[in-house]
Amino acid sequence: MSLAAVVLAAGKGTRMKSDLPKVLHKVCGLPMINHVLNAVEGAGADRMVAVVGFGGELVAGEIRERAETVFQHNQLGTAHALLQAASSLRNFKGEILVVCGDTPLITAQTLQELMAYHGQTGARATVLTAVLPDPGGYGRVIRDQNGNVMRIVEQKDANAGELAVKEINTGIYCFNSKGLFAALSDLTPDNAQHEYYLTDIIESYVGSGDKVGALPVVNAVEIMGINDRCQMAEAERVLRRRMLEKIMLSGVTVLDPSTTYVDSGVEIGRDSVIYPNTFLEGGCRTGERCLLGPGAHLTDATLGSDVTVRYSVVDGSEVADGCIIGPYAYIRPGCELGRKVKVGDFVELKKAKIGDGSKVPHLSYVGDAVLGIGVNIGAGTITCNYDGVNKWPTLIGDDAFIGSNTNLVAPVRVGEGAVTGAGSTITKDVPPGALGVARGRQQNILDWKKRMRAGKE
Ligand code: UD1
Ligand code: MG
């Protein structure tokens, strides 16, 4: 069976009070529309068309690689929106799933169930419904005495009896492509909102003797549409919990799910432990047995196995097996840490490549640097990588020992096995095996205290 999906996303989302189109607001780190595209793709859609309007260029840019976009310049209603996809799907034969771009909680499984039911009943259209204790605001699904769907009536057009109906239209449908667009173009906007209602197609199909089905969703939270930021926070809570359950069921311990924030798409290896107040964002990936947190904030970080990160930030960097990071380390983008590297307290790294077993244990800044294997960086060491105009590299060979409080004025190279004296400001290369010292010699003035006193008296 051939399946296409149309995502309706032209609405402005006025209640978001935002310059950003609603469907680009992120839930668990991913724009809402991407959650919806994931679900329809997971349900087997091989073609996806998004109908965009407000901020359409931005939306089109975000989803360029996975979906076609068509523009609806004036938002004349949901039927009019779907009609904009006609040119794209003119030659498409099969089923067309219609979903809204602002329902990020919908799952592939529910869409598959809708498709399966649609297939079994052989209906021309099947609508996903939900039974809600408080159906206010939604279109109501009106059935006859035998339970057959007759039509959908919008809240604003409904009479008292219809308003009492608790079964609502989720705005998610499955249509057979045959004759769909022709039927859509026959609809008229004679209703309270003077809009072209997609829901009117149900009555039109029923009227022409076609079979229409309706399937209530099992878990009504899935169809929650986001209209404002309060609802967005609610969706975030649900999705976050879903994500954490997936991680926990895959063998990761999460000590406190309520203070653990994991974006969708993050992958954590089994037997890892996530401590409270930890954020794993973007495309983070870790190996097995990692200890993350408390207070770890990782964004687009790739970690090997057996890595510990406590009270630290790691952005856009790669960390190999067995590294120990923190407490209070800040690893900025572009770093590559070899195996068993230690980055300790109050250390900042930026674009630093650090060889296996090297240590930067405390109070250092290492930027634009390449460190070999087994290097030891003393406390307070600074790579002076910026001369006010350009950034310059620092190269440190294997087994070099950088004395505490060394300034390495880049560009500079410290050779293999070389040593720098504590407190040195190194401006010239240090050859392999050499000691580089660059500081004033110490002078001791004997009996200083006694002579001072004598002077005063
Ligand atoms: C619609 C349904 C209603 C259902 C509800 C579920 C109609 C007439 N009503 O109502 O039965 O209970 O969804 O949430 O369809 N859109 C466009 N272009 C437009 C109008 C809307 O792209 O011209 C998009 C919106 O961006 C949104 C979706 O279609 O993603 C639904 O539109 P919305 O205005 O929220 O419809 P409702 O009035 O909520
Ligand atoms: Mg709506």
Side-chain angles (χ1 to χ4, degrees):
M1 183 194 60
S2 209
L3 180 63
V6 179
V7 181
L8 306 183
K12 182 166 192 282
T14 311
R15 282 169 284 172
M16 293 297 284
K17 308 237 165 79
S18 175
D19 296 331
L20 195 66
K22 175 162 79 174
V23 294
L24 290 188
H25 281 265
K26 289 182 178 173
V27 179
C28 281
L30 202 64
M32 283 185 223
I33 192 164
N34 285 318
H35 287 287
V36 175
L37 291 175
N38 287 349
V40 294
E41 203 169 52
D46 31 40
R47 285 193 62 185
M48 302 192 279
V49 182
V51 182
V52 300
F54 176 76
E57 301 289 348
L58 286 176
V59 181
E62 170 63 38
I63 61 178
R64 177 182 306 120
E65 276 158 32
R66 51 197 314 209
E68 297 161 54
T69 40
V70 294
F71 282 79
Q72 184 197 28
H73 296 288
N74 296 309
Q75 272 102 67
L76 304 180
T78 44
H80 181 260
L82 180 54
L83 209 42
Q84 307 312 303
S87 53
S88 273
L89 297 175
R90 196 183 307 119
N91 299 319
F92 174 81
K93 284 193 177 57
E95 307 310 307
I96 299 177
L97 207 47
V98 175
V99 295
C100 296
D102 60 357
T103 52
L105 300 179
I106 189 71
T107 62
Q109 194 190 335
T110 293
L111 295 177
Q112 271 160 353
E113 284 162 13
L114 177 68
M115 303 294 307
Y117 181 75
H118 177 79
Q120 281 158 24
T121 56
R124 189 175 176 193
T126 306
V127 49
L128 185 70
T129 69
V131 179
L132 301 182
D134 173 17
Y138 287 100
R140 308 296 205 281
V141 177
I142 309 302
R143 297 180 184 254
D144 66 12
Q145 313 89 298
N146 302 321
N148 299 315
V149 178
M150 302 302 293
R151 57 198 183 94
I152 295 172
V153 57
E154 291 305 292
Q155 164 105 11
K156 288 185 179 146
D157 302 289
N159 63 37
E162 291 163 338
L163 286 176
V165 171
K166 304 247 186 276
E167 186 179 14
I168 61 97
N169 168 26
T170 65
I172 295 172
Y173 320 78
C174 185
F175 296 105
N176 186 269
S177 62
K178 195 163 172 229
L180 172 65
F181 294 111
L184 284 174
S185 44
D186 285 344
L187 300 179
T188 52
D190 43 3
N191 52 57
Q193 302 185 83
H194 306 293
E195 283 183 9
Y196 293 90
Y197 287 170
L198 176 52
T199 45
D200 284 350
I201 202 158
I202 302 299
E203 193 172 7
S204 142
Y205 278 5
V206 170
S208 50
D210 291 306
K211 199 166 165 45
V212 173
L215 178 72
V217 67
V218 177
N219 185 357
V221 77
E222 282 190 32
I223 59 93
M224 174 186 177
I226 309 301
N227 294 309
D228 58 37
R229 298 192 200 223
C230 298
Q231 291 169 336
M232 211 167 84
E234 180 61 16
E236 176 88 26
R237 191 184 62 78
V238 174
L239 257 184
R240 174 149 51 97
R241 184 71 208 190
R242 231 188 244 171
M243 187 64 199
L244 289 169
E245 275 168 14
K246 192 173 118 195
I247 287 176
M248 292 188 277
L249 291 173
S250 76
V252 173
T253 298
V254 177
L255 263 74
D256 182 10
S258 67
T259 63
T260 303
Y261 303 81
V262 179
D263 280 358
S264 38
V266 168
E267 288 171 22
I268 312 290
R270 60 188 281 167
D271 287 325
S272 293
V273 180
I274 307 181
Y275 291 90
N277 293 323
T278 290
F279 297 75
L280 305 173
E281 298 180 332
C284 285
R285 248 162 210 67
T286 86
E288 300 182 352
R289 298 174 302 280
C290 289
L291 304 179
L292 307 174
H297 192 159
L298 275 54
T299 308
D300 296 321
T302 306
L303 274 51
S305 293
D306 304 295
V307 173
T308 297
V309 183
R310 284 190 297 149
Y311 297 108
S312 292
V313 174
V314 182
D315 281 347
S317 291
E318 288 177 28
V319 177
D321 295 351
C323 289
I324 298 180
I325 295 169
Y328 312 112
Y330 180 21
I331 300 186
R332 292 165 52 196
C335 292
E336 284 174 47
L337 276 52
R339 295 157 63 94
K340 296 199 171 173
V341 165
K342 178 175 162 64
V343 178
D345 51 280
F346 308 106
V347 170
E348 177 176 338
L349 304 182
K350 187 216 73 171
K351 279 194 196 156
K353 193 167 179 225
I354 301 188
D356 293 353
S358 290
K359 294 185 169 71
V360 192
H362 12 239
L363 302 160
S364 294
Y365 170 62
V366 177
D368 300 306
V370 179
L371 277 58
I373 295 169
V375 170
N376 189 81
I377 303 285
T381 295
I382 303 290
T383 54
C384 311
N385 59 329
Y386 185 48
D387 60 13
V389 183
N390 292 306
K391 300 278 169 74
W392 298 100
T394 299
L395 306 176
I396 302 178
D398 295 350
D399 300 314
F401 183 98
I402 306 300
S404 293
N405 207 27
T406 296
N407 299 311
L408 296 158
V409 181
V412 72
R413 185 189 292 260
V414 177
E416 193 179 321
V419 176
T420 68
S424 292
T425 294
I426 300 293
T427 54
K428 292 188 288 197
D429 290 356
V430 182
L435 167 67
V437 193
R439 62 178 190 227
R441 274 184 184 279
Q442 180 171 339
Q443 206 184 355
N444 289 335
I445 300 169
L446 299 178
D447 296 327
W448 174 252
K449 201 165 178 185
K450 207 191 273 174
R451 285 157 61 189
M452 282 292 283
R453 240 182 240 142
K456 260 187 213 153
E457 281 159 12

